[in-house]
Amino acid sequence: MNTILVTGAGGFVGRMLCQALVNQGYATRGLVRAMGVQVEGVEYYPVDLVHDDVPFKSLTCVSCVVHLAGRAHVLKDQEQDPLSSFRLVNCEATLKLARQALEAGVKRFIFMSSIGVNGSHTDSEPFDEMAEPHPHADYARSKFEAEEKLKLLLAGTTMELVIVRPPLIYGLEAPGNFARLLKLVASGAPLPLRSIRNARSLVSIENVVSFLIRCIDHSEAAGQLFLIADGEDVSTSQIVEQLALGMDRRARLISVPAPILQAGLALLGRKSLYTQLCGSLRVDTSKARTLLEWHPVTDTLMQLQRVGRLYATQRNC
């Protein structure tokens, strides 16, 4: 039986991945910063990846490490040097873990990166694996540096590297901007997004988990970079409408010309928020579908409705 080690096992993606691995019969271990909600059947190890070595026992007989742990986007970062903080966690701690995994004889190392490595938005063509990287923020820079240093570290070794760059991952327990959007839609607050005609690729938590499991065993995944998404692009207004539909409420969208919205957010010091809300970011998933014969298990519109429905049910409990 394959033994899989998941870092960040207590996080949004980590919990779902651990549960799916257990359900599919994998022996599963999880690294967490602190013991919290646990998945039955997972062997947990509390560890601070920055300051501590990974317990040798946790890597013994492990065939694959799925590295999800990291420092993600921080809306109001209080660090004096945010880039250094991102590098410490997302790059240096990753390399330390990879070295230990290599010494322990792990066969494959899956690194969860970010579509931000490619850039903050797309124009005429979607991002694919051949697109030149243009990391646009400290978080994305640290992820790209980790990718490049992992390639150097593992070149010519027995441990195979797989890099996965997802766009925004959504689901009921998603953190960050998606959680805020759920709350806004549920509140009935008017949102100035009706005039926005963008196209964004998203990926559901179910599809992320499905793809990661595909990467664990598929021989063709070795040494590859993959961009993944649900496979259908939606506008920000469509996202709001589908969430509201699932909540059984009307989406309160108002029309504000894009230049005015952009100028207003710039005055508030939230220029990047305009790109996130109103810019397009499209992902070409052809490589994942053809090389690994992977197909998404959920589609965007129906899954957004489902998330909205679950959120409304949870709030009413």
Side-chain angles (χ1 to χ4, degrees), residues 93-116:
T94 295
L95 291 172
K96 183 172 72 170
L97 171 66
R99 292 187 190 99
Q100 291 182 262
L102 182 61
E103 291 173 2
V106 174
K107 296 178 181 178
R108 183 167 292 184
F109 190 95
I110 301 176
F111 177 60
M112 181 69 92
S113 187
S114 167
I115 197 62

Side-chain angles (χ1 to χ4, degrees), residues 134-157:
H134 290 286
H136 67 287
D138 291 343
Y139 168 72
R141 292 186 189 99
S142 69
K143 286 290 189 177
F144 180 53
E145 290 174 8
E147 290 182 11
E148 294 300 290
K149 291 182 178 181
L150 282 171
K151 291 176 187 176
L152 289 174
L153 174 67
L154 301 183
T157 71

Side-chain angles (χ1 to χ4, degrees), residues 14 47 55 64 83 125 152 161 165 211 225 282 311:
V47 62
C64 179
L83 179 56
E125 298 297 324
L152 289 174
L161 176 63
R165 294 181 191 161
F211 184 73
L225 161 69
R282 299 165 54 225
Y311 185 81

Side-chain angles (χ1 to χ4, degrees), residues 7-267:
T7 74
F12 170 52
V13 178
R15 290 195 306 273
M16 292 285 287
L17 177 60
C18 284
Q19 185 64 70
L21 288 170
V22 170
N23 291 346
Q24 295 189 30
Y26 289 90
T28 307
R29 298 173 186 165
L31 298 186
V32 293
R33 283 183 63 94
M35 301 299 286
V37 177
Q38 300 179 29
V39 174
E40 186 176 354
V42 176
E43 185 179 352
Y44 289 97
Y45 296 83
V47 62
D48 183 330
L49 290 174
V50 172
H51 300 103
D52 304 328
D53 287 335
V54 175
F56 181 77
K57 183 180 178 181
S58 70
L59 286 167
T60 303
C61 299
V62 166
S63 60
C64 179
V65 170
V66 183
H67 184 42
L68 306 176
R71 187 175 194 260
H73 304 282
V74 182
L75 291 181
K76 295 182 179 180
D77 204 328
Q78 301 300 313
E79 296 285 344
Q80 291 185 345
D81 186 355
L83 179 56
S84 293
S85 297
F86 280 117
R87 280 174 171 158
L88 181 63
V89 180
N90 296 340
C91 187
E92 299 309 318
T94 295
L95 291 172
K96 183 172 72 170
L97 171 66
R99 292 187 190 99
Q100 291 182 262
L102 182 61
E103 291 173 2
V106 174
K107 296 178 181 178
R108 183 167 292 184
F109 190 95
I110 301 176
F111 177 60
M112 181 69 92
S113 187
S114 167
I115 197 62
V117 170
N118 288 81
S120 62
H121 65 282
T122 53
D123 295 317
S124 58
E125 298 297 324
F127 288 139
D128 63 16
E129 288 80 4
M130 298 302 293
E132 184 178 351
H134 290 286
H136 67 287
D138 291 343
Y139 168 72
R141 292 186 189 99
S142 69
K143 286 290 189 177
F144 180 53
E145 290 174 8
E147 290 182 11
E148 294 300 290
K149 291 182 178 181
L150 282 171
K151 291 176 187 176
L152 289 174
L153 174 67
L154 301 183
T157 71
T158 57
M159 191 163 74
E160 302 162 344
L161 176 63
V162 183
I163 298 170
V164 181
R165 294 181 191 161
L168 184 143
I169 303 173
Y170 67 94
L172 179 61
E173 298 180 7
N177 287 332
F178 189 79
R180 293 176 180 85
L181 184 59
L182 273 173
K183 187 175 180 179
L184 279 172
V185 174
S187 73
L191 300 173
L193 302 171
R194 184 175 296 279
S195 301
I196 304 304
R197 296 291 182 266
N198 59 347
R200 299 193 70 86
S201 297
L202 310 177
V203 62
S204 71
I205 179 63
E206 290 81 4
N207 284 335
V208 170
V209 167
S210 167
F211 184 73
L212 289 173
I213 292 177
R214 193 74 165 174
C215 288
I216 286 173
D217 292 320
H218 202 296
S219 61
E220 295 298 325
Q224 298 293 333
L225 161 69
F226 295 101
L227 274 59
I228 60 167
D230 289 346
E232 52 186 318
D233 301 328
V234 293
S235 66
T236 306
S237 58
Q238 281 181 299
I239 296 172
V240 172
E241 289 167 348
Q242 295 305 310
L243 291 174
L245 186 60
M247 296 177 189
D248 197 24
R249 64 166 57 243
R250 182 179 177 181
R252 296 193 64 192
L253 293 169
I254 58 176
S255 295
V256 175
I260 294 177
L261 183 58
Q262 184 175 21
L265 288 171
L267 285 172

